Amino acid sequence: MAAFAAVAVIAVELTYPAEARFVLVVFALAIVGWTLLKIDDTVVALAAVAALLLGGAVPLATIPVTLTNPLIGLLVGAFVIATALTRSGLAERAVIATIGNVRSVTRLFHRLALLIVATAFVVPSTTGRAVLFLPVFLTLAASIRDVQIVRALALLIPSVVLLSACASLTGAGAHLVAAEFITRSGGAPIDYARWTVLGLPFAVASSFVATSVILGLFLDRETRMTAPKLPSISRDPLRSRQRAVATIVAVMLVALLGATAVGIEPALVALMAATLLVIGPSRALTPVTALKAIEWKLLVFLIATMLMGDALIASDAARLVAADLVTSVDRQAFGNPLAVATFVSAIALCAHLVVTSRTARAVVLIPMLALPLAGFGYDPAALILLVAVGTGFCQTLPVSAKAVALYATLKQPTYAPKDLLLLSAVLLPIHLILLVAFALVVWPLLGISLQP
């Protein structure tokens, strides 16, 4: 299969420059590795970058530039901050305190969903957020002891974690890839605050829809209106270290949202906050713990995929493929913004069935779907945003996302694969409509329109 993909690229595009053909061959092989082979996604990405380095498509000088990309620093800082919140006990205490006085299961689910959305701003990976809420889930499950409610709760947490990631630039590695592609395709740079303006409305809307669907599918009306038995709320005052962590994180969030406006790099804000949490007077983590908190594998994968994206653009391969696709397709087929938004949304939503890594999905779909369609007169930034947000839907199978697998494999009985399939069958068409509505109505009001 890999050899066929390589030969196909060479045979079809003999008119391309040698470097562009080489990059496309490597890219095709990476796609095969991500979709058909049981090889770690990071290993595949590193092998692709090694091939591009040996072939000269990625100059060695590009690597230090990518390593110092501000987005990487922002992600590193977020990892440390998220760990400080978890280890200090603030995260679990805040969740229990917020949901502790609800009078119905419906209110419990909606309030919990809003809290999960909020964590997208301080925890930089969906897996990390799923882990963050694991003790909360186990505490609630032990207190509620209703099999149906526990199953719905287990479905709610990973679903909202995945769908709400688009609220924050650091919510998923795919967002950083998308922001980089937007800048390289000539769009205005997307900073932390700008991404929040664009992503938060969809995160809230999609999370509300998912919560309502889970409640309606898996709980009857009587159960939804029942007052759940919840764990008691701690009345003990916050310890000095907890107050320090809370203050640092609160100041950081405010500073991140306004950093670019006053000429400060958001990555610097996140790294300063992380430094205070490690070596400050009320430090919450040791340096060793902070280093362990960073998901190095995710960072390596992200850097590798950024380098692959650079090679696609620098070699002119992305532009050549886009131009060929535009000339080979009847312009009337993609002359309607509704048709384009529907087509891109459908591909982005279903891609998780083929490529399990969300970042890999973004690396594949942006140059091979978003950029070619931009050749029909559409704004590449709008198409890239649509792809990045759409790839957040990945809860059809336990293997579709680590967050889903985590809650499916607990000793505490949760949900079966058939429950995920039922949920996905209902949510996917709804999210298709939601994505199209945002692409055609909401995001144009916020400054990003399919038709510039």
Side-chain angles (χ1 to χ4, degrees):
M1 180 65 72
F4 174 80
V7 172
V9 172
I10 295 173
V12 174
E13 299 301 350
L14 288 175
T15 58
Y16 284 9
E19 185 179 14
R21 291 204 308 273
F22 173 69
V23 170
L24 287 173
V25 168
V26 173
F27 194 72
L29 294 175
I31 294 174
V32 171
W34 285 329
T35 56
L36 300 179
L37 303 180
K38 294 182 178 180
I39 303 175
D40 188 274
D41 292 333
T42 303
V43 173
V44 173
L46 285 174
V49 171
L52 293 171
L53 284 168
L54 291 173
V58 173
L60 284 172
T62 306
I63 296 179
V65 175
T66 304
L67 290 173
T68 56
N69 189 307
L71 297 178
I72 301 298
L74 186 62
L75 199 56
V76 169
F79 278 127
V80 176
I81 293 161
T83 303
L85 282 171
T86 303
R87 290 176 69 90
S88 67
L90 275 174
E92 184 178 356
R93 178 167 173 161
V95 172
I96 297 299
T98 305
I99 65 176
N101 60 351
V102 293
R103 296 181 180 179
S104 69
V105 171
T106 297
R107 289 190 178 184
L108 167 65
F109 275 49
H110 281 292
R111 196 171 292 185
L112 185 58
L114 286 175
L115 286 170
I116 296 171
V117 173
T119 60
F121 294 96
V122 290
V123 182
S125 79
T126 51
T127 304
R129 292 165 67 210
V131 171
L132 176 69
F133 278 89
L134 185 56
V136 175
F137 167 75
L138 294 174
T139 302
L140 291 174
S143 181
I144 294 173
R145 296 183 181 180
D146 183 297
V147 175
Q148 287 187 329
I149 297 176
V150 169
R151 177 182 60 175
L153 195 62
L155 287 166
L156 174 79
I157 293 175
S159 295
V160 176
V161 161
L162 294 168
L163 294 171
S164 64
C166 64
S168 166
L169 180 61
T170 57
H175 303 164
L176 305 181
V177 171
E180 190 75 7
F181 266 110
I182 288 174
T183 302
R184 290 185 172 275
S185 62
I190 302 289
D191 59 18
Y192 192 91
R194 179 61 173 153
W195 187 282
T196 300
V197 169
L198 297 168
L200 182 58
F202 187 88
V204 173
S206 62
S207 297
F208 175 80
V209 167
T211 304
S212 300
V213 168
I214 290 170
L215 285 166
L217 278 179
F218 298 99
L219 299 176
D220 56 42
R221 187 178 185 280
E222 183 180 353
T223 303
R224 293 196 301 269
M225 300 306 295
T226 301
K229 183 180 179 182
L230 299 174
S232 59
I233 303 171
S234 174
R235 303 296 180 184
D236 298 333
L238 292 176
R239 299 189 300 273
S240 60
R241 184 170 296 178
Q242 289 178 320
R243 290 197 299 271
V245 172
T247 301
I248 291 170
V249 173
V251 172
M252 180 207 67
L253 289 175
V254 173
L256 279 177
L257 294 174
T260 306
V262 296
I264 300 175
E265 180 59 57
L268 180 61
V269 174
L271 290 172
M272 287 178 63
T275 302
L276 288 174
L277 292 170
V278 175
I279 63 173
S282 300
R283 71 179 191 177
L285 302 172
T286 65
V288 173
T289 305
L291 288 173
K292 290 181 179 179
I294 300 169
E295 292 189 26
W296 296 105
K297 183 179 176 181
L298 175 60
L299 283 178
V300 170
F301 181 66
L302 183 60
I303 292 167
T305 52
M306 282 182 169
L307 289 170
M308 291 174 65
D310 289 344
L312 281 168
I313 293 175
S315 66
D316 218 22
R319 186 192 65 80
L320 290 169
V321 170
D324 272 2
L325 287 175
V326 170
T327 56
S328 64
V329 176
D330 184 357
R331 296 192 70 86
Q332 291 184 350
F334 293 111
N336 186 338
L338 175 60
V340 170
T342 304
F343 177 69
V344 173
S345 299
I347 297 296
L349 288 169
C350 296
H352 70 282
L353 298 173
V354 182
V355 183
T356 55
S357 166
R358 185 179 179 185
T359 306
R361 291 198 294 275
V363 173
V364 172
L365 293 180
I366 290 172
M368 294 302 162
L369 179 65
L371 297 185
L373 289 175
F376 290 92
Y378 299 103
D379 183 4
L383 291 168
I384 292 170
L385 179 64
L386 189 55
V387 166
V389 174
T391 54
F393 187 94
C394 46
Q395 56 259 61
T396 304
L397 302 168
V399 297
S400 297
K402 294 183 180 67
V404 177
L406 176 65
Y407 283 78
T409 55
L410 295 174
K411 291 181 179 180
Q412 160 80 43
T414 55
Y415 48 79
K418 65 179 182 180
D419 298 321
L420 287 174
L421 288 173
L422 174 61
L423 177 60
S424 182
V426 176
L427 277 183
L428 196 147
I430 296 176
H431 276 75
L432 176 63
I433 296 171
L434 197 59
L435 274 171
V436 172
F438 266 76
L440 299 181
V441 180
V442 180
W443 286 330
L445 295 176
L446 298 175
I448 289 192
S449 175
L450 272 176
Q451 292 183 303

